[in-house]
Amino acid sequence: MAFNNKLDYIPNQPFSGSSQYMSDLERKKFQTRKWQVLIGTFCLLVVISNIVIWSQAAVYQSQAILHFSYPSQTEQVFPELPQRQITIHTRRLKSSSVLTAVSEALSERQYLNISLQTLFVNLEVEPSLTGRIITLKANGSDPKILKPILETWVEVYLALIDSEKEVSNTEVQESANEQLLLLEQKIVEQKYQVQNFAQSNNITSLERDENRVLNKVKNLSTSLDLAVAEKAEKSALLSSVEVSISNGETLVRPEDKSTIDETRSKLQEITAGLDALSEQYTQAYLERDTVIVARQQEAIKLQAFLDEQVKLSQKAYMQEVQRDVQTANNKVVDLQKQLDEQNKLVQKFNQNLEEFKQLDTELKALQAQAQTIKTQQITQQVSKPFDAKISVLESPFIPDFAISPNYLLNSFISLIGSLIIAIMALFLYSFIFKQHISQGTSSNFVVVPGQNVNQDLANIDNQQPMQLNQANPKSVSQLEAPAVRLLSIDESKSLFAVANKQAKVLIGLTMCGVEQQELKVISARDFQKDYSQMTIKGLASRVLAVPSYLSEILNSLCATCGNEVIWSNLDPEQDFSLLLVNAAHDANLLLPEQIDLNVLRHTYINFLVVQGIKLNDIEKVAGFIAPSELARYRHINNQKEAVNIENISIQYPVV
């Protein structure tokens, strides 16, 4: 029977469950090799690891313990000093100078030639700040030489510390004596300066009240206060006298009171006698009696004399009070002048006193500093608070047993590790073998007319020869995946025209043959703008030519992202679809929500197939395509002859 339709070849592809095609012999070989891989890998690793483990030399360790003790007073005053010194000793014990001295001492005393590097590696120092101890450890394969090494190390270091202490104490003592001598000279000079300053400025004491100038000010202030009070009293008395006189009162000076009282007493006596006589005699008789008339004249004279005495006494009293007020006022003025002048002297004296206090303070500071140095000298000579007493709590010894390696534990660990690695090797061998079997047992078949495409594909190998003798081949369109929308050239041009810069790059690269997963990882380094080429890396690595219009857009986009992925500001899983859907809406395409990268890629591959490209050559341009997806394009151009890839247009005309 002649076939009207051309038979198409379906590429080899593995089927799930391909292991069922292996023969019994292959299964047995596979199981045997699995055990061989497992046991062989395990035994090889165990043997090698145990050879390495048991060939290691035993390591012994000897140790010595140094204890650092300080006076209790030092720990109270300087609690951090022991910790700092122990830390310094810890570092110095492994210093180059100390280890060099140990190496030389071992060579001279023990006739052991041990290099500095060997000592540095095998000697350990372990401090304990809380316990004030340092543990010295020596490791090596020969236990007999560890003890002399540690003993020499301890002896050399203690001798070095003792020599440094002697030198340090001598230097400190000399330095302290020099400082003390200089301080004593300064103290003498300062005392002389203080005494001269006190004598020249009349300063007898640091206390203000004990100096004469300040005492004089104090006395003047007290006298001024008394004078002001006296002035106020005299002024008040003068005012009272003036008021009394203006009211017509008679004022008598206290000194004149006795004389005036005597005159008044005589006048009263004469007046009383005249009054008695006037009651006994008549007025005519009184006028003719010469004695009575004489007595009347005497009374008139006494009255005039009394009035004159009172007037003179009042006048004198007034003048005396006025003089007292004037005297008090003059006294206040004089005292105020004296106080002002004395205050000026006091101000200058205060400045001198402050300067004197400063000089005295400096003198006391120098004396205190000198006393401190003397105390420190005594303390250092007696107790030496900063020097620790180093004692050996544990002497070096010859070790009886090795500390490492633990052969049994390491052997057990090697067994476990070898078993794990052997199991991993088994899994790796199984995976490689299955991949090899899957690729070697895939079936090549054609679909012939009358074949039931829904039957189990495992029976195709048995049924295919019989059906090829009974019917014509038939297209495999029934096995194709669901249809994907196909854009026309006009729709593609409209979509590209309205898209933004990123969407243009997305559409343009897809229409140049870049696959969806490859789009996500494209970076600026992959684009060579000088050659307008895009390098695609991965399993389907290739170099694609980029049209000029897309090259300009890519160049500007790469300039903003450096060497990073050009989609650094986008989420490829979501934003790619949104960019295309938005562009489809702007282009007024039918069903814009269906536009995605799958539609663009299907359009591009369909564009290649229509031109007659070989199906096997599509991957050279468009990258990896699953065989199930590639099958849908077999019927598109099955009436034409295949065209070489050099004779077709690879770039889709979106512009």
Side-chain angles (χ1 to χ4, degrees):
M1 178 182 293
F3 296 108
N4 296 325
N5 295 327
K6 180 182 178 181
L7 292 177
D8 290 333
Y9 170 80
I10 299 180
N12 295 336
Q13 47 184 321
F15 296 99
S16 60
S18 61
S19 60
Q20 61 185 328
Y21 296 105
M22 292 190 299
S23 63
D24 294 337
L25 180 59
E26 290 175 336
R27 289 194 182 92
K28 290 180 181 180
K29 288 183 179 180
F30 177 64
Q31 294 296 334
T32 303
R33 289 176 182 173
K34 284 173 59 178
W35 283 107
Q36 290 175 350
V37 169
L38 178 63
I39 297 173
T41 305
F42 176 74
C43 293
L44 179 62
L45 292 175
V46 168
V47 171
I48 294 175
S49 60
N50 278 273
I51 289 175
V52 173
I53 291 172
W54 290 92
S55 63
Q56 294 178 351
V59 178
Y60 297 88
Q61 184 181 85
S62 179
Q63 67 178 18
I65 299 178
L66 302 180
H67 179 258
F68 296 78
S69 59
Y70 294 85
S72 59
Q73 183 178 2
T74 301
E75 295 184 355
Q76 294 176 0
V77 179
F78 306 100
E80 297 179 355
L81 177 64
Q83 297 181 359
R84 291 200 302 267
Q85 288 196 354
I86 290 175
T87 303
I88 294 173
H89 284 297
T90 302
R91 296 178 179 177
R92 286 199 62 192
L93 278 165
K94 289 196 68 175
S95 63
S96 177
S97 58
V98 173
L99 294 182
T100 301
V102 172
S103 179
E104 294 175 354
L106 287 173
S107 178
E108 295 175 358
R109 303 174 189 175
Q110 306 295 337
Y111 301 102
L112 296 174
N113 294 321
I114 302 177
S115 64
L116 181 63
Q117 182 179 3
T118 304
L119 289 176
F120 186 83
V121 173
N122 294 330
L123 297 182
E124 297 180 3
V125 181
E126 183 178 336
S128 175
L129 299 179
T130 56
R132 310 287 172 80
I133 62 174
I134 293 179
T135 304
L136 306 180
K137 298 179 181 180
N139 302 324
S141 58
D142 188 357
K144 295 181 180 180
I145 67 172
L146 297 181
K147 180 180 178 180
I149 290 176
L150 272 181
E151 289 178 345
T152 305
W153 192 14
V154 172
E155 291 175 1
V156 168
Y157 189 72
L158 292 181
L160 178 63
I161 294 299
D162 291 338
S163 62
E164 288 180 351
K165 284 181 180 179
E166 292 179 1
V167 174
S168 177
N169 291 335
T170 303
E171 292 177 352
V172 170
Q173 190 69 23
E174 292 178 355
S175 176
N177 291 333
E178 292 178 359
Q179 292 181 0
L180 189 60
L181 181 61
L182 292 175
L183 283 174
E184 289 177 352
Q185 293 177 357
K186 289 184 178 180
I187 289 172
V188 173
E189 294 175 358
Q190 191 72 15
K191 283 183 178 180
Y192 180 75
Q193 185 177 0
V194 169
Q195 292 175 358
N196 289 341
F197 189 86
Q199 292 177 1
S200 60
N201 294 280
N202 197 21
I203 298 175
T204 59
S205 173
L206 291 174
E207 299 296 330
R208 293 172 55 87
D209 296 339
E210 295 179 3
N211 290 282
R212 288 180 297 175
V213 175
L214 298 176
N215 283 331
K216 189 173 182 180
V217 171
K218 184 177 180 180
N219 295 333
L220 285 174
S221 298
T222 304
S223 300
L224 179 61
D225 293 339
L226 294 176
V228 170
E230 184 181 358
K231 176 184 175 182
E233 182 181 355
K234 296 297 183 180
S235 299
L237 180 60
L238 178 60
S239 300
S240 176
V241 170
E242 291 176 349
V243 171
S244 298
I245 292 174
S246 62
N247 292 334
E249 297 180 5
T250 301
L251 297 178
V252 178
R253 190 172 59 171
E255 294 82 353
D256 299 334
K257 185 176 181 181
S258 59
T259 304
I260 293 174
D261 289 340
E262 183 180 355
T263 303
R264 185 178 286 111
S265 175
K266 289 180 180 181
L267 178 61
Q268 289 177 353
E269 182 180 353
I270 294 173
T271 303
L274 290 176
D275 291 338
L277 290 175
S278 63
E279 291 179 355
Q280 294 177 4
Y281 302 102
T282 61
Q283 184 65 27
Y285 179 79
L286 293 174
E287 292 177 355
R288 286 198 234 21
D289 189 347
T290 56
V291 175
I292 294 174
V293 172
R295 296 190 68 178
Q296 287 179 349
Q297 290 178 355
E298 184 179 0
I300 292 171
K301 290 180 180 180
L302 282 174
Q303 183 63 42
F305 181 71
L306 179 61
D307 293 339
E308 185 66 20
Q309 278 186 327
V310 170
K311 183 177 180 182
L312 293 175
S313 178
Q314 180 173 323
K315 183 178 180 181
Y317 184 57
M318 182 68 176
Q319 291 176 352
E320 185 177 348
V321 171
Q322 288 178 349
R323 283 195 303 270
D324 291 340
V325 170
Q326 184 64 31
T327 301
N329 188 27
N330 293 335
K331 185 177 181 181
V332 169
V333 172
D334 292 340
L335 288 175
Q336 186 65 46
K337 289 180 179 179
Q338 294 178 15
L339 184 61
D340 292 340
E341 293 176 356
Q342 197 65 27
N343 282 333
K344 294 179 181 179
L345 297 176
V346 168
Q347 185 175 3
K348 183 177 180 181
F349 178 80
N350 286 335
Q351 295 176 356
N352 295 332
L353 183 61
E354 291 298 327
E355 187 175 353
F356 178 76
K357 286 182 179 180
Q358 185 175 358
L359 293 175
D360 187 70
T361 302
E362 293 176 357
L363 175 61
K364 291 179 179 178
L366 291 174
Q367 291 174 343
Q369 189 174 359
Q371 186 61 37
T372 301
I373 294 176
K374 292 179 180 178
T375 305
Q376 290 177 353
Q377 285 182 324
I378 295 173
T379 304
Q380 290 177 357
Q381 292 174 357
V382 175
S383 62
K384 296 182 179 180
F386 301 107
D387 295 337
K389 181 181 179 181
I390 305 176
S391 58
V392 181
L393 292 183
E394 180 179 343
S395 301
F397 56 89
I398 298 176
D400 298 329
F401 58 90
I403 61 170
S404 67
N406 191 336
Y407 297 104
L408 297 179
L409 178 60
N410 293 343
S411 298
F412 177 74
I413 294 175
S414 68
L415 289 175
I416 300 299
S418 300
L419 180 59
I420 294 174
I421 296 175
I423 293 174
M424 295 174 62
L426 175 62
F427 288 152
L428 178 61
Y429 172 74
S430 300
F431 175 75
I432 295 174
F433 186 82
K434 288 181 180 180
Q435 291 292 326
H436 177 71
I437 294 300
S438 300
Q439 295 176 3
T441 58
S442 298
S443 299
N444 299 332
F445 64 91
V446 292
V447 179
V448 297
Q451 178 181 335
N452 185 7
V453 296
N454 294 324
Q455 63 185 359
D456 189 356
L457 294 176
N459 298 324
I460 291 179
D461 287 338
N462 299 326
Q463 295 178 1
Q464 192 170 347
M466 180 177 61
Q467 291 188 3
L468 285 172
N469 297 327
Q470 296 176 356
N472 294 327
K474 183 178 179 181
S475 174
V476 294
S477 60
Q478 296 179 8
L479 296 176
E480 292 178 357
V484 181
R485 181 174 176 180
L486 184 66
L487 296 179
S488 65
I489 294 179
D490 293 334
E491 288 178 328
S492 300
K493 291 182 178 180
S494 300
L495 184 67
F496 185 87
V498 299
N500 60 15
K501 182 185 297 184
Q502 291 176 326
K504 286 181 185 293
V505 173
L506 196 62
I507 297 169
L509 290 178
T510 303
M511 292 305 188
C512 286
V514 183
E515 190 257 342
Q516 182 174 355
Q517 297 301 324
E518 296 169 342
L519 278 172
K520 298 178 181 179
V521 296
I522 286 179
S523 64
R525 292 188 296 267
D526 300 331
F527 174 62
Q528 294 82 35
K529 61 180 181 179
D530 296 333
Y531 304 97
S532 296
Q533 291 179 347
M534 178 67 69
T535 302
I536 306 299
K537 302 176 182 178
L539 295 176
S541 60
R542 58 199 184 279
V543 178
L544 300 177
V546 179
S548 58
Y549 62 87
L550 184 59
S551 178
E552 296 176 357
I553 301 175
L554 268 173
N555 189 21
S556 62
L557 187 62
C558 292
T560 60
C561 65
N563 291 328
E564 302 296 332
V565 178
I566 60 176
W567 318 109
S568 57
N569 60 339
L570 296 178
D571 182 6
E573 299 297 332
Q574 298 179 359
D575 295 339
F576 282 0
S577 299
L578 293 177
L579 287 172
L580 295 177
V581 170
N582 292 337
H585 277 284
D586 295 337
N588 295 322
L589 298 184
L590 185 63
L591 300 176
E593 300 296 332
Q594 296 181 1
I595 305 300
D596 56 7
L597 289 175
N598 292 329
V599 172
L600 297 179
R601 183 164 176 79
H602 174 59
T603 301
Y604 176 72
I605 296 175
N606 189 79
F607 166 74
L608 297 177
V609 174
V610 168
Q611 297 181 72
I613 190 173
K614 296 178 182 179
L615 296 183
N616 290 335
D617 290 340
I618 293 179
E619 290 187 353
K620 297 180 181 179
V621 179
F624 173 77
I625 302 176
S628 59
E629 294 181 3
L630 191 62
R632 75 173 68 180
Y633 303 106
R634 293 172 50 207
H635 67 282
I636 294 177
N637 196 24
N638 54 8
Q639 301 298 330
K640 296 182 180 180
E641 294 182 357
V643 180
N644 292 329
I645 192 173
E646 294 82 7
N647 298 326
I648 67 171
S649 175
I650 296 177
Q651 296 178 357
Y652 190 92
V654 293
V655 177

